[in-house]
Amino acid sequence: MNEDDWTFEGRKTWPPFHGEAPEKSPRKPSGRIFEGRRRLWILLPFLLLLFVAWPAFARFYTDWLWFYSLGFSAVFRTRVLTRIALFVGSSLLLFAFLAFNWITAWRRSKDELSETWSVRWNPRFLPWLILGAAAVLSAGNSLGGSSAWETILGFFYGGPFGQKDPIFGKDVGFYVFTLPFLALLRSWLLNGLFLALLGTALLSLPGRLGRFFASDFSLRPHTRRHLSVLASLLVLAWGSGFLLDRWNLLYSPSGIVFGPGYTDIHALLPALSVLFALSTAAAVLVFTGTGRSRKALWWTLGSLAAAVFVLRSLVPGLMQSYIVKPNEFEREKPYIGYHIAATLEAFGLSEVTILDMTPENDVTTEGIAANSDTIRNIRLWDYGPLLRTYKQLQEIRSYYDFTDVDIDRYRFGGQMRQVMLSARELDPTQLQNRTWVNTHLEFTHGYGLVMNPVNEVGPSGLPILFIRDLPPKVDVPLSIDRPQIYYGEKTSTYALVKTDVREFDYPMGESNVRNTYEGKGGVGIGTAWRRILFATRFGDTEIFFTGSLRPESRILYNRNIQGALRQLAPFLLYDADPYLVVLGGKLLWIQDAYTATDRYPYSRPVSLSDPTLSNFQGANYLRNSVKATVDAYDGTVTFYALDEKDPLLAMWRSVFPSLFKPASALSPELREHLRYPEGLFEIQSAVYRTYHMKDPNTFYNKEDVWTITPEGSRKAVSPNYTILRLMGEKAPEFALIIPFMPVGRNNMIAWMAGRSDGENYGKLVVYKFPKQKLIFGPAQIEALIDQNPEISAQLSLWSQRGSEVIRGDLLVIPVGKGLLYVQPLYLKAERGDLPELKRVILSTGGRVAMAETFDEALRRVVGIQAGKPAALPKPGSVSPPASSGSREEDLKALAREARKAYEAAEAAQRAGDWARYGEELKRLQTLLERMTQNGTP
């Protein structure tokens, strides 16, 4: 503001209303200070560009390069343009609204001031200040809209679910897609109207100062109309929340079930309708009564506040206490039924196949013979001990690491074998010399994997490995052409490939085997421009200054498979356990992905303490609709739309048509490795433990709640992948199973299976046992084991010798119509970390047997006579034993193979090839073990 901004009767007045401005001129700053300030203001935009705009641009552009390299540039473009359009559109609308109201208020205030004081008030900076404030506040208010792009896209692209809610009769799609958008729109309008009203009121003050000093608080008609319109719109927008709350009652957590109950429907729902009507009336009164009858206005607003308290709190509380509680079940019965049906539908449990089954007391020899595939694939290795064994035997070097153990099935020799495997990934934090070249140019990838059958054990108690060592040695009909692992679960740093530095592949003798990347993964970094961009993105100047890059060099980043998938499709949820598959000579990661929402009416949200399921907390609708694969060598990502009927997935496919491939694009070989996801199964089993009670009375009284945690135990029974033949099925299949016990009891009442093979993929089967018959549960079998004198003595002896005994998970395996309980025992030296499988405990029909091998323990517990071994399959063999004549032929064939292995070992010894000598001895040992098993009566 300067002297020219104020005039009074033709004279310049400064300060305003206090006569002539003083003659004395203000003190001017020195030239040096003025020049320094000017340089600072000139330099400021360049500093902002350097430290804010440039890093943001580098991040944005390199993200686009990464999306483009994977073939998903259209996905990136859609996401970015959508957010920009939402931000710009909402900002412009709000800016125009605020600017119109504020400029109008300022002009009227200026005119009123001139009329009252005979002063022409014309500060030149104020219009620009008003416009600047409107722009800043509009942009800030619109950031929420751009970040809620998923909600807005859901509104425009979402479709019907095909199910209607039982209260309002609306399709579920309205609650999932439309209602969140309406809530977002209301929030945006409330913020905009409040800012417009506040700014208009403040800018109207200067014109009324003189009257305020005279205790005249009246407003001029045009100002009053302006404020009343904004205030009434604000009240109306606020009141619209009551209308939305009517639909939001379907998520009410206050009753005996999630969703509205008797009180919500008969008291709160009418109350919300009344409150919406009252708020509408209040908006009308605000519009017509501002400045005329302030008392009536305040009475209206006070009455509305009182009505909110009475109708939303007092009346529902009285109804709940005096009408509902005395006869609660009869009042709540229909709403309990709505809740059960909605929860089962939302979690994919509405079509569970339920079979009543009365198990036989014992597993019989006939049952074993008919289920030889199940017996042959019973898992003896627990994940924890096996992972430690992998680390001790197969990490080879300190910079390799096994993150976890996966389980899958493969067909070898026409038979399905269940195997456990783990990828040997690189851990750069364990490098002895962590230079920049070692971390980013030389040690760039892991190498190979380890695989073993789930049930085979060597003489020393260690697993027999199908795939092992560096380079991978494979004893099964699998080929691995690309054992390098550039993309994995543990990888987090960027890598520069196709450089002058040859990459480390694996150690070999006194030297190392090196290689050069030949894949198409990553982004080219051969130009100076891209070097600058990536040096900025990663904050690493070595990328720009290194002399090792070539024109064809590439940079691999976003190499953590889950991080990469979340960046590509952040609207999906991901299972905690991706697993590795050997397929067509390549290593391929398979990741289960889910569509989820917390807006399914009447469905109970997920609430679990397991940290591996934290991604799903709060969701009340879940589908395993997507399978994603990531190539471990070149990072190629593919999303497959597995459940094409899922409305959430259909919406995202409409938004990103190039992101998903149809389920028909899955190759038959890849389909054979799909498995029921453990994360989904755990959530479904947790829900089903209560919601299998479909009768509202039974549900209300909690008469038949199941659990997976035995009484007196803190550890829940874990789901178990196994190969078994379900009742009524002709072929064995790969399934995920879990037993259920009644709450407060340790006997078993049912078990659930999630199917993984063929057309049955994704189906659930529950076998329910009769309540009048005792079926041993895991805790009861544990008690029988502890009471066995032979087992107790052996465990005590091992403990006295200073060894640690590790009791594996107790598995419950259906074999025919009987149940077989299996628990492995591991022994670990006090100062070592190499668990060895020393005993196998089996139980059936209340009997318990322990032996050094599964075969011997099975013979003891089933009670097979010495002359009748033909029905018992050998767990270490690849095919079930047949007649004695066939056994003799097998022994002869094994003897020939053993002779060949012995001769090959002697030849390797003479040639000094000690690596080959060790391999042949291992092969000879395996053959001798199989000969012993086949020849044991």
Side-chain angles (χ1 to χ4, degrees):
M1 188 178 295
N2 54 47
E3 295 180 27
D4 294 333
D5 294 330
W6 295 86
T7 60
F8 182 66
E9 295 180 353
R11 297 177 298 159
K12 291 182 179 180
T13 302
W14 185 264
F17 321 126
H18 292 285
E20 297 286 347
E23 296 294 334
K24 185 176 179 180
S25 61
R27 184 176 181 182
K28 296 182 179 180
S30 65
R32 182 176 300 174
I33 296 176
F34 180 78
E35 184 66 22
R37 290 177 179 173
R38 189 179 72 173
R39 290 178 178 177
L40 180 60
W41 282 104
I42 294 174
L43 186 60
L44 185 60
F46 293 99
L47 293 176
L48 290 174
L49 182 66
L50 180 63
F51 292 105
V52 179
W54 170 249
F57 170 77
R59 180 83 186 191
F60 173 83
Y61 187 71
T62 52
D63 278 343
W64 180 82
L65 291 174
W66 180 71
F67 274 79
Y68 182 82
S69 69
L70 293 173
F72 296 130
S73 58
V75 175
F76 183 82
R77 185 168 55 251
T78 300
R79 284 170 52 182
V80 170
L81 292 180
T82 299
R83 301 186 71 169
I84 291 175
L86 292 173
F87 175 75
V88 173
S90 60
S91 296
L92 289 177
L93 285 174
L94 187 55
F95 171 77
F97 181 68
L98 294 180
F100 171 78
N101 284 279
W102 291 354
I103 292 294
T104 300
W106 167 70
R107 288 176 176 173
R108 288 171 177 168
S109 184
K110 180 185 66 171
D111 295 340
E112 189 174 354
L113 183 66
S114 300
E115 294 175 8
T116 304
W117 295 92
S118 300
V119 173
R120 183 166 58 84
W121 184 43
N122 188 29
R124 300 173 182 175
F125 69 89
L126 193 55
W128 295 107
L129 181 61
I130 291 172
L131 294 176
V136 171
L137 292 174
S138 299
N141 191 61
S142 299
L143 286 175
S146 64
S147 62
W149 61 276
E150 296 179 20
T151 300
I152 297 171
L153 288 175
F155 172 74
F156 286 105
Y157 289 92
F161 271 62
Q163 293 96 29
K164 294 184 177 181
D165 80 273
I167 303 300
F168 301 104
K170 288 184 173 294
D171 188 90
V172 172
F174 170 80
Y175 300 95
V176 175
F177 300 124
T178 304
L179 191 55
F181 173 78
L182 295 178
L184 180 68
L185 181 61
R186 174 180 174 270
S187 176
W188 183 82
L189 288 173
L190 276 175
N191 291 338
L193 289 167
F194 175 76
L195 292 174
L197 180 62
L198 180 63
T200 300
L202 292 176
L203 289 170
S204 298
L205 285 178
R208 305 302 296 164
L209 284 176
R211 295 185 180 276
F212 290 163
F213 293 148
S215 299
D216 179 6
F217 298 101
S218 63
L219 298 171
R220 286 198 169 189
H222 55 262
T223 303
R224 184 175 63 248
R225 285 195 301 270
H226 192 175
L227 292 174
S228 65
V229 170
L230 291 176
S232 62
L233 289 175
L234 182 62
V235 173
L236 189 61
W238 172 75
S240 67
F242 295 123
L243 186 60
L244 299 183
D245 285 345
R246 294 177 78 252
W247 294 313
N248 284 324
L249 277 180
L250 295 180
Y251 312 104
S252 172
S254 59
I256 62 172
V257 295
F258 187 84
Y262 184 90
T263 300
D264 295 315
I265 299 301
H266 293 86
L268 202 49
L269 183 59
L272 291 171
S273 301
V274 172
L275 289 173
F276 176 68
L278 290 176
S279 64
T280 304
V284 174
L285 288 174
V286 168
F287 176 72
T288 60
T290 302
R292 294 179 181 176
S293 177
R294 287 190 298 273
K295 184 179 292 187
L297 173 63
W298 290 114
W299 269 105
T300 301
L301 295 178
S303 300
L304 182 59
V308 170
F309 169 73
V310 171
L311 296 176
R312 297 203 70 167
S313 300
L314 185 60
V315 173
L318 292 173
M319 179 176 285
Q320 183 69 26
S321 298
Y322 296 104
I323 297 178
V324 176
K325 281 192 175 180
N327 194 16
E328 189 174 50
F329 172 69
E330 290 301 324
R331 301 289 186 186
E332 302 286 3
K333 180 179 179 180
Y335 310 107
I336 295 174
Y338 299 154
H339 171 69
I340 295 172
T343 302
L344 291 174
E345 177 65 33
F347 287 99
L349 296 168
S350 60
E351 298 181 358
V352 174
T353 301
I354 301 174
L355 300 175
D356 293 321
M357 172 186 177
T358 302
E360 297 178 349
N361 293 329
D362 304 276
V363 172
T364 63
T365 56
E366 292 79 9
I368 292 174
N371 294 273
S372 58
D373 293 281
T374 301
I375 298 297
R376 193 182 306 114
N377 288 284
I378 290 177
R379 177 170 61 86
L380 301 181
W381 288 100
D382 271 13
Y383 297 98
L386 184 61
L387 181 61
R388 283 190 277 179
T389 301
Y390 280 174
K391 288 176 177 288
Q392 290 295 316
L393 298 180
Q394 287 293 310
E395 278 189 353
I396 311 296
R397 294 289 187 272
S398 61
Y399 42 77
Y400 287 127
D401 189 25
F402 294 103
T403 303
D404 66 356
V405 177
D406 299 319
I407 191 165
D408 199 2
R409 72 285 195 196
Y410 290 79
R411 289 194 177 275
F412 301 138
Q415 301 240 350
M416 187 184 296
R417 296 298 304 272
Q418 192 172 354
V419 299
M420 305 178 82
L421 66 158
S422 185
R424 186 185 290 106
E425 296 193 59
L426 182 74
D427 184 3
T429 62
Q430 299 301 317
L431 290 173
Q432 298 298 315
N433 186 19
R434 293 188 62 192
T435 64
W436 184 83
V437 171
N438 280 348
T439 304
H440 299 291
L441 274 74
E442 188 168 355
F443 291 87
T444 57
H445 56 272
Y447 202 90
L449 71 151
V450 181
M451 177 188 289
N452 67 283
V454 296
N455 64 327
E456 293 193 18
V457 186
S460 58
L462 298 177
I464 293 176
L465 302 179
F466 282 171
I467 302 177
R468 63 191 183 276
D469 298 344
L470 294 171
K473 297 178 176 62
V474 184
D475 293 340
V476 287
L478 288 176
S479 61
I480 305 177
D481 302 325
R482 291 294 186 187
Q484 295 88 351
I485 300 175
Y486 285 89
Y487 298 83
E489 295 181 82
K490 200 176 186 67
T491 310
S492 59
T493 60
Y494 68 87
L496 297 169
V497 296
K498 297 185 179 182
T499 66
D500 289 336
V501 178
R502 299 200 71 196
E503 301 166 52
F504 171 84
D505 237 10
Y506 56 88
M508 175 67 77
E510 298 297 328
S511 61
N512 296 320
V513 176
R514 298 182 178 275
N515 200 356
T516 299
Y517 184 72
E518 298 177 354
K520 60 180 181 179
V523 174
I525 195 174
T527 64
W529 165 245
R530 290 198 175 179
R531 288 194 194 187
I532 295 173
L533 286 170
F534 284 104
T536 303
R537 177 191 175 106
F538 295 108
D540 192 344
T541 57
E542 291 287 349
I543 295 177
F544 180 76
F545 290 107
T546 182
S548 301
L549 297 183
R550 300 174 178 174
E552 65 272 17
S553 295
R554 304 183 73 80
I555 182 170
L556 312 182
Y557 55 109
N558 292 335
R559 297 199 291 153
N560 181 277
I561 55 176
Q562 289 201 323
L565 293 173
R566 286 191 177 96
Q567 189 163 348
L568 287 168
F571 44 83
L572 298 176
L573 299 181
Y574 296 93
D575 198 88
D577 184 28
Y579 57 102
L580 192 68
V581 170
V582 182
L583 189 65
K586 299 189 298 184
L587 302 183
L588 199 68
W589 295 100
I590 298 181
Q591 172 71 65
D592 286 287
Y594 308 91
T595 56
T597 181
D598 59 355
R599 304 296 302 173
Y600 199 97
Y602 261 118
S603 175
R604 191 196 78 174
V606 172
S607 179
L608 298 173
S609 59
D610 189 344
T612 62
L613 302 176
S614 59
N615 287 344
F616 307 103
Q617 294 290 350
N620 68 352
Y621 172 91
L622 193 64
R623 291 289 187 274
N624 175 220
S625 298
V626 178
K627 298 283 186 179
T629 62
V630 182
D631 192 302
Y633 186 71
D634 61 22
T636 299
V637 177
T638 307
F639 290 91
Y640 295 98
L642 203 66
D643 184 359
E644 299 185 0
K645 296 180 181 179
D646 177 22
L648 282 174
L649 180 61
M651 185 271 289
W652 289 119
R653 293 184 73 184
S654 299
V655 176
F656 303 112
S658 62
L659 181 61
F660 300 98
K661 289 186 177 181
S664 58
L666 280 163
S667 67
E669 295 78 16
L670 182 57
R671 277 186 179 274
E672 289 184 357
H673 293 281
L674 299 184
R675 66 183 196 184
Y676 204 102
E678 190 169 353
L680 175 64
F681 190 75
E682 289 190 30
I683 292 173
Q684 288 178 318
S685 62
V687 172
Y688 198 75
R689 293 199 295 266
T690 302
Y691 290 84
H692 72 276
M693 299 180 291
K694 297 181 181 180
D695 177 64
N697 193 8
T698 306
F699 185 93
Y700 175 78
N701 293 314
K702 299 292 188 288
E703 296 176 9
D704 191 23
V705 180
W706 299 344
T707 183
I708 59 173
T709 304
E711 181 72 12
S713 174
R714 295 182 179 179
K715 184 179 179 182
V717 178
S718 300
N720 172 44
Y721 285 105
T722 188
I723 293 175
L724 76 166
R725 181 181 286 110
L726 298 174
M727 286 179 56
E729 300 292 335
K730 297 181 180 179
E733 58 184 281
F734 188 67
L736 184 60
I737 65 173
I738 193 168
F740 294 122
M741 290 75 68
V743 168
R745 297 289 183 269
N746 282 329
N747 59 290
M748 194 159 61
I749 193 66
W751 61 274
M752 174 186 279
R755 308 175 72 175
S756 301
D757 290 344
E759 296 181 355
N760 294 318
Y761 175 84
K763 295 181 180 179
L764 290 171
V765 181
V766 172
Y767 290 88
K768 297 180 69 174
F769 303 148
K771 296 180 181 180
Q772 63 272 19
K773 181 177 181 179
L774 173 64
I775 308 298
F776 286 113
Q780 294 171 323
I781 298 298
E782 291 269 12
L784 290 176
I785 293 173
D786 292 337
Q787 295 167 10
N788 186 280
E790 178 189 355
I791 297 175
S792 298
Q794 184 64 67
L795 296 181
S796 299
L797 179 61
W798 280 334
S799 299
Q800 291 171 4
R801 292 178 178 176
S803 299
E804 179 185 352
V805 179
I806 303 173
R807 297 178 69 160
D809 292 337
L810 181 67
L811 307 181
V812 183
I813 308 297
V815 179
K817 291 187 176 182
L819 295 174
L820 183 66
Y821 304 83
V822 183
Q823 185 175 53
L825 292 181
Y826 309 91
L827 199 62
K828 184 176 75 69
E830 184 178 5
R831 297 183 180 180
D833 195 22
L834 183 62
E836 299 175 356
L837 198 158
K838 289 300 184 182
R839 296 290 187 274
V840 178
I841 301 174
L842 300 183
S843 177
T844 186
R847 300 186 303 277
V848 177
M850 182 178 73
E852 294 186 7
T853 66
F854 177 89
D855 183 27
E856 181 59 30
L858 185 61
R859 292 178 187 278
R860 291 182 183 181
V861 77
V862 176
I864 296 179
Q865 300 295 325
K868 301 178 181 179
L872 189 62
K874 305 297 178 181
S877 63
V878 296
S879 59
S883 63
S884 58
S886 175
R887 184 181 298 109
E888 291 177 1
E889 294 177 0
D890 290 343
L891 285 173
K892 291 179 180 180
L894 289 171
R896 288 193 295 270
E897 292 295 324
R899 181 66 182 177
K900 291 179 182 178
Y902 176 74
E903 293 174 352
E906 282 191 329
Q909 182 183 27
R910 290 192 296 269
D913 189 348
W914 301 110
R916 181 61 182 275
Y917 177 73
E919 293 174 16
E920 295 298 335
L921 284 184
K922 287 182 180 179
R923 188 161 74 94
L924 178 60
Q925 180 183 6
T926 301
L927 291 169
L928 291 175
E929 290 173 4
R930 293 181 176 177
M931 290 174 66
T932 302
Q933 293 170 351
N934 280 4
T936 303

